[in-house]
Amino acid sequence: MEKKFEIKITPRTLHFKQPAGTSRGVYTERVSWFIELTSPGRPGRRGVGECAPLPDLSCDAVPDYESRLRAFCDRLEREGEIDYAAMEDYPSMLFGLETAMRSFNAGSAALFDTAFSRGEEGIPINGLVWMGSHDEMLARMEQKIEQGFTCIKLKIGAIDFDAELDLLKRIRDRFSHRTMQIRLDANCAFAIDEALYKLELLSQYAVHSIEQPIRTRRWGDMAALCRDAPLPIALDEELIGVNDPTTKEELLNIIKPAYIVLKPSLHGGMRGVEEWVRMARWRDIGSWITSALESNVGLNAVAQLAAHVYGDHITMAQGLGTGLLYTDNVAMPIEIRKDALWFNPGL
């Protein structure tokens, strides 16, 4: 039987321009597996996707990653369709295959027909400040402000808490919450018995939201925090590995977060993200979409998905400012202009 597609897998190591620090550790490089999809029946047509698991975080960051990915690619080559049921627990692989299929069918990097993919509108993004020393974070924060960002996201939890409070004070001394939005990401760094107290101190700086203040799989404790905290809480890591629709509903019903933060590589690929957004909307829970340190191939796909999911005229800042992270990134027709990501369909 003739194959419907032919798929080539190419691993590639990307190198960070500067160490990317989180409360779980520091990244200096990361490996992505790039998918190139062609078809004997459509010569000259090509689709590209990126499979980019994060070590110690992705539910599918397994030792035999490439061989499992190869098996899924072989099935797609034979059957011509993605087996979503089989790939439910492999979101980074699924996202790469979804991206490759969409770019193949579109014939370009414009994966959906949106104002963004037509180059008519940019997507507002937050300026991400990685962890570091107080002075390093302050310099990075100042750089983002100078570049024109009106939403600053700081990763906290790795340095002295008072030093982190000082960074927030410096922003609020110059900008009100009406002109500068502050988002925080704790990456599970707070101990349960101190989380509420820290959230109370953080709330005095008119923080928009904080992602994942405590570690995952403690739904009762997280639900209590969401109920009692003086600032909105967003779930991120809590959603990883939760791929069954019934369990998703239970999680949202019990915890009742203000927001969920969605990464296709971690949270079920494109289809999984769309399902999370639908479920959140039914419960009046907000959401935004962010990249997971992919190269520009994955970043473009995340941005294309965000424009498709949220429609034109997006006002909520998305987490798509990671295109300048690497010394050896992949060229794609996307660029940051001030505080928005734009797609150039002419390139």
Side-chain angles (χ1 to χ4, degrees):
M1 184 175 67
E2 184 180 25
K3 290 182 179 180
K4 296 182 172 58
F5 294 107
E6 294 178 353
I7 299 175
K8 178 182 177 182
I9 302 173
T10 305
R12 178 172 172 177
T13 300
L14 301 170
H15 301 87
F16 285 87
K17 292 179 180 178
Q18 61 185 31
T22 76
S23 60
R24 288 184 302 272
V26 178
Y27 293 108
T28 58
E29 62 182 30
R30 65 90 46 85
V31 178
S32 286
W33 283 262
F34 289 90
I35 302 296
E36 182 178 2
L37 184 148
T38 56
S39 173
R42 301 183 70 177
R45 183 62 70 98
R46 172 177 170 267
V48 177
E50 179 181 4
C51 304
L54 285 170
D56 303 319
L57 185 62
S58 298
C59 62
D60 57 353
V62 290
D64 58 343
Y65 188 91
E66 187 168 343
S67 64
R68 294 198 192 194
L69 176 59
R70 182 71 258 173
F72 289 128
C73 290
D74 290 346
R75 183 177 299 182
L76 177 56
E77 286 182 337
R78 295 191 308 270
E79 299 176 2
E81 295 180 353
I82 295 172
D83 188 337
Y84 279 93
M87 297 193 72
E88 183 177 70
D89 294 326
Y90 300 89
S92 67
M93 301 183 197
L94 175 57
F95 182 48
L97 292 185
E98 287 175 314
T99 301
M101 286 286 286
R102 284 207 163 269
S103 67
F104 178 86
N105 290 327
S108 75
L111 307 186
F112 300 91
D113 182 18
T114 63
F116 172 73
S117 68
R118 295 190 296 271
E120 299 167 359
E121 292 188 10
I123 299 175
I125 62 176
N126 59 245
L128 179 60
V129 176
W130 288 99
M131 287 178 177
S133 68
H134 173 275
D135 290 347
E136 287 172 338
M137 293 182 71
L138 179 61
R140 293 167 189 167
M141 187 174 73
E142 289 291 341
Q143 183 183 46
K144 297 300 179 184
I145 292 171
E146 289 174 7
Q147 290 170 348
F149 285 94
T150 56
C151 176
I152 302 293
K153 176 180 173 180
L154 293 92
K155 286 186 171 289
I156 64 171
I159 64 174
D160 179 71
F161 186 65
D162 288 335
E164 291 171 338
L165 292 176
D166 178 71
L167 294 173
L168 303 186
K169 183 178 185 301
R170 288 172 183 261
I171 296 177
R172 281 292 169 251
D173 283 345
R174 294 163 57 189
F175 305 97
S176 77
H177 69 279
R178 295 180 182 86
T179 57
M180 181 66 71
Q181 187 178 99
I182 298 175
R183 295 181 184 172
L184 303 176
D185 186 357
N187 288 128
C188 309
F190 295 169
I192 291 171
D193 59 358
E194 66 180 13
L196 186 58
Y197 172 67
K198 287 189 172 182
L199 294 180
E200 288 172 349
L201 293 177
L202 293 169
S203 69
Q204 66 185 309
Y205 299 106
V207 172
H208 170 270
S209 57
I210 183 168
E211 296 176 37
Q212 209 68 45
I214 62 173
R215 59 192 177 93
T216 63
R217 306 299 179 258
R218 301 186 68 110
W219 289 10
D221 292 316
M222 186 67 86
L225 268 187
C226 289
R227 182 190 67 230
D228 299 334
L231 76 168
I233 291 176
L235 302 184
D236 179 356
E237 287 94 338
E238 195 72 65
L239 311 179
I240 297 173
V242 181
N243 301 314
D244 173 69
T246 300
T247 310
K248 290 180 180 180
E249 290 183 334
E250 290 175 352
L251 183 152
L252 296 177
N253 290 340
I254 290 171
I255 297 179
K256 297 182 175 65
Y259 300 99
I260 56 174
V261 184
L262 297 162
K263 300 178 175 71
S265 290
L266 298 177
H267 302 133
M270 294 185 180
R271 178 178 287 193
V273 164
E274 291 189 79
E275 184 173 66
W276 275 116
V277 171
R278 283 197 303 271
M279 290 182 174
R281 283 174 174 162
W282 295 338
R283 293 162 175 81
D284 293 322
I285 295 170
S287 66
W288 64 87
I289 292 174
T290 179
S291 61
L293 307 184
E294 295 94 349
S295 77
N296 281 337
V297 172
L299 175 60
N300 174 68
V302 177
Q304 298 282 336
L305 177 63
H308 169 68
V309 168
Y310 297 123
D312 298 339
H313 317 305
I314 295 174
T315 57
M316 172 81 80
Q318 309 294 301
L320 306 174
T322 57
L324 302 176
L325 286 177
Y326 299 107
T327 61
D328 44 6
N329 212 330
V330 181
M332 290 292 286
I334 52 176
E335 64 177 340
I336 295 175
R337 304 178 197 165
K338 194 180 174 183
D339 63 346
L341 185 72
W342 287 79
F343 181 80
N344 188 339
L347 294 180

